[in-house]
Amino acid sequence: MKQLIKILIVVIAIAFAGCSSQEKNLVPTPKYVFLFIGDGMGIQQVNATQAYLAALDSTNGNYHLSFTTFPATGFVTTFAGTRYITCSAAAGTAIASGNKTSTGTIGLNADHTDSLLSIAHYAHRNGFQVGVVSSVSIDHATPAAFYAHQPNRDMYHEIGHDLINSGFRFFASGGFRDPMGKKSENPRGNFIEMGANNGVLFTSSLSLSDDNLANHQTIVYTAPNSAASSTLQYRIDAKSSEVTLAQLTQMSIDVVYNPKGFFMMVEGGKIDWACHDNDAATVIHETIAFSDAILVAYEFYKKHPTETLIIVTSDHETGGMSLGVREHGYESNIALLLKQNVSKERFDNLLLELANAKGGKPLFNDVMLLIKKHFGLGSSEVPLTDQEVALLKKAFHNQFYEKKKPKSINEDYRSELTVSMQAIAILNNKAGIGWTSYSHTGSQVPLYAIGAGQEFFVGQLDNTQLAPIITKLMGIPF
């Protein structure tokens, strides 16, 4: 009841504001709405990225991300219906539908007795084209919240079936997790084959012919050369030929653009993944990739300034990131993160390749050479203390000789870190980046907006307030 009252207040406020604007002939009615969600991106992730860009281009002071200069700013609370620290499923559902739900739940109420319909659903039902884009798999929690209704976010097979039944115009991502239903308790058949037999185009080409556009109601793009878990490659690891989130955003615009209008959700999903690893350099590169995707939308906005609305926010913060650590007091050196040139994921693979080449028993000196090459640790620019070398040696023995590994990235076993975790922790500390968790936190997240109706996205909002504001502005019954 409290939530309903809150939503009604928002809607009434917009209605009155709309009446006032109408008198001035300034009714904000966006036809083209972009909602960007930086999964796991708190204000410190944004700040760290700006500090990194300033270090990268200190002569020009070019430290702004594409969205940090947007005129409307605020903060969003993220708590779930059943827990203060949320998960992406509950937070995504709250953003998409305007309703709190239980953790792990996709598009259903907390006790799974009723479906919660999303902005995308209502936009589609009212004649707007819909695009859903993500740098992770399209059946992951955040994108799924805009089209699926499942009691468990891990029901990837069932979520995939919801996708092909949604009727939405365009989907793009790194792929799917369980098309065949191998992990499902009740597999329904290969939804890719079923979709293809019912007019859905599955493609890995960024270029689509006019015939493809005209003859398929739904188009699903999957990036070639996907990384682990059907995701785009981390930006820090990616070759120049790899598909980017910015390219997928542009492709989505090309597919869904029409005179009636569109709603598009774009997720920078691997910001969260890198935060779970406490991998600051990779977080920063993913935030830059996210910013580049928003820049594509901004270029569209400049062509349609009175008809476009861009909203940028996050579902939650991950990792409890801080700029400043106890050991260094007021000192920091973010420029040291420039020394890292691979993600934790990629470095783990390099270690595995080294171990296999050495019959499973690599030498510590060989590992240290890899650490120096990819993190700069042990070089003249980033010297290691005896204590830091001892920490790396302990991690080395734990990983390769004693076979000790953390039970989970969500548990902080500082005495049993893997080599990659320890190397990254040392570099982060030297740079002045701290972490409090391998999990999500309950921090508020930032909000940025530009375009028609931007004035309604200022101050402090709850994540459930976004959907009713957006749909009201678009003139969609909700």
Side-chain angles (χ1 to χ4, degrees):
M1 180 59 73
K2 289 182 179 179
Q3 188 57 46
L4 178 60
I5 291 171
K6 185 188 297 183
I7 292 173
L8 287 173
I9 290 172
V10 172
V11 172
I12 291 168
I14 294 174
F16 277 113
C19 292
S20 176
S21 297
Q22 195 168 19
E23 292 172 2
K24 300 176 184 179
N25 199 29
L26 294 173
V27 179
T29 54
K31 286 170 54 177
Y32 311 112
V33 175
F34 296 86
L35 174 59
F36 285 88
I37 300 176
D39 199 314
M41 186 187 76
I43 191 63
Q44 297 293 45
Q45 283 80 356
V46 175
N47 290 343
T49 304
Q50 291 179 301
Y52 179 91
L53 290 173
L56 191 64
D57 191 13
S58 57
T59 55
N60 295 323
N62 182 22
Y63 62 89
H64 288 299
L65 295 165
S66 62
F67 54 90
T68 54
T69 57
F70 284 3
T73 60
F75 287 94
V76 178
T77 50
T78 66
F79 58 91
T82 54
R83 193 173 69 197
Y84 190 76
I85 298 178
T86 192
C87 74
S88 292
T93 298
I95 293 171
S97 72
N99 291 275
K100 299 289 187 183
T101 192
S102 50
T103 54
T105 299
I106 299 286
L108 297 172
N109 62 356
D111 60 4
H112 306 159
T113 59
D114 194 16
S115 295
L116 301 175
L117 302 178
S118 72
I119 310 168
H121 167 86
Y122 287 107
H124 171 67
R125 194 166 78 177
N126 284 272
F128 292 85
Q129 299 281 23
V130 173
V132 179
V133 178
S134 179
S135 61
V136 297
S137 63
I138 199 65
D139 48 15
H140 218 254
T142 302
F146 286 82
Y147 64 83
H149 308 278
Q150 297 298 334
N152 190 320
R153 60 175 290 174
D154 295 331
M155 298 174 69
Y156 299 110
H157 180 67
E158 291 76 9
I159 289 170
H161 277 277
D162 285 346
L163 181 148
I164 65 170
N165 292 326
S166 69
F168 295 174
R169 179 60 170 157
F170 184 70
F171 297 89
S173 72
F176 294 93
R177 297 289 293 273
D178 191 19
M180 302 293 292
K182 294 180 179 179
K183 300 176 182 178
S184 174
E185 294 181 3
N186 298 291
R188 306 179 191 175
N190 187 335
F191 57 73
I192 293 179
E193 291 182 1
M194 295 169 68
N197 291 332
N198 288 278
V200 178
L201 174 65
F202 293 88
T203 181
S204 290
S205 172
L206 288 171
S207 299
L208 298 174
S209 68
D210 290 340
D211 285 345
N212 279 334
L213 291 170
N215 296 327
H216 295 89
Q217 177 185 0
T218 298
I219 296 168
V220 181
Y221 174 87
T222 295
N225 192 33
S226 294
S229 300
S230 300
T231 67
L232 300 190
Q233 299 286 342
Y234 277 121
R235 180 188 174 103
I236 197 172
D237 300 329
K239 300 174 183 177
S240 59
S241 59
E242 304 286 1
V243 173
T244 67
L245 189 62
Q247 287 176 300
L248 298 189
T249 303
Q250 183 61 61
M251 185 181 186
S252 185
I253 293 172
D254 294 341
V255 173
V256 303
Y257 178 71
N258 70 97
K260 169 71 174 179
F262 62 71
F263 170 81
M264 188 187 308
M265 192 288 295
V266 181
E267 181 203 22
K270 295 187 81 169
I271 299 171
D272 173 72
W273 292 35
C275 286
H276 278 297
D277 286 339
N278 287 182
D279 183 353
T282 301
V283 169
I284 287 166
H285 281 268
E286 288 305 295
T287 305
I288 293 170
F290 182 60
S291 174
D292 289 346
I294 297 166
L295 183 60
V296 172
Y298 181 68
E299 291 300 319
F300 179 92
Y301 157 80
K302 289 195 295 184
K303 297 175 184 176
H304 309 273
T306 63
E307 299 177 306
T308 304
L309 172 63
I310 305 173
I311 305 147
V312 181
T313 190
S314 173
D315 52 353
H316 54 73
E317 195 275 343
T318 302
M321 191 182 199
S322 69
L323 274 67
V325 294
R326 182 182 296 109
E327 293 89 334
H328 302 309
Y330 294 101
E331 300 299 321
S332 65
N333 189 359
I334 303 297
L336 289 180
L337 296 179
L338 294 167
K339 302 295 183 182
Q340 183 175 334
N341 53 40
V342 295
S343 67
K344 175 188 176 295
E345 179 182 286
R346 176 61 181 146
F347 191 71
D348 282 337
N349 290 333
L350 293 173
L351 287 174
L352 181 60
E353 292 171 10
L354 174 64
N356 290 338
K358 299 291 184 177
K361 301 290 184 181
L363 299 176
F364 180 63
N365 286 344
D366 292 333
V367 169
M368 286 301 297
L369 287 175
L370 272 183
I371 290 172
K372 182 178 180 180
K373 178 180 179 180
H374 295 294
F375 299 102
L377 297 176
S379 65
S380 57
E381 296 94 342
V382 196
L384 289 167
T385 66
D386 291 343
Q387 182 182 15
E388 289 165 342
V389 172
L391 288 171
L392 288 168
K393 188 170 291 187
K394 183 175 180 60
F396 165 78
H397 281 285
N398 284 347
Q399 184 169 345
F400 294 108
Y401 289 87
E402 298 179 27
K403 304 298 183 184
K404 292 182 179 179
K405 294 182 180 180
K407 296 178 181 178
S408 163
I409 60 170
N410 295 320
E411 298 183 48
D412 186 3
Y413 290 91
R414 287 292 181 188
S415 63
E416 297 181 12
L417 296 184
T418 61
V419 171
S420 59
M421 293 168 74
Q422 188 65 78
I424 289 170
I426 290 170
L427 182 63
N428 285 350
N429 184 267
K430 287 179 175 293
I433 298 289
W435 301 88
T436 65
S437 174
Y438 290 115
S439 304
H440 303 168
T441 71
S443 300
Q444 295 181 20
V445 293
L447 173 69
Y448 310 85
I450 188 170
Q454 66 185 35
E455 60 270 27
F456 295 106
F457 299 93
V458 297
Q460 181 169 308
L461 298 171
D462 184 67
N463 55 13
T464 56
Q465 293 178 272
L466 301 182
I469 294 175
I470 293 169
T471 51
K472 181 67 178 179
L473 289 172
M474 294 179 75
I476 295 172
F478 183 72

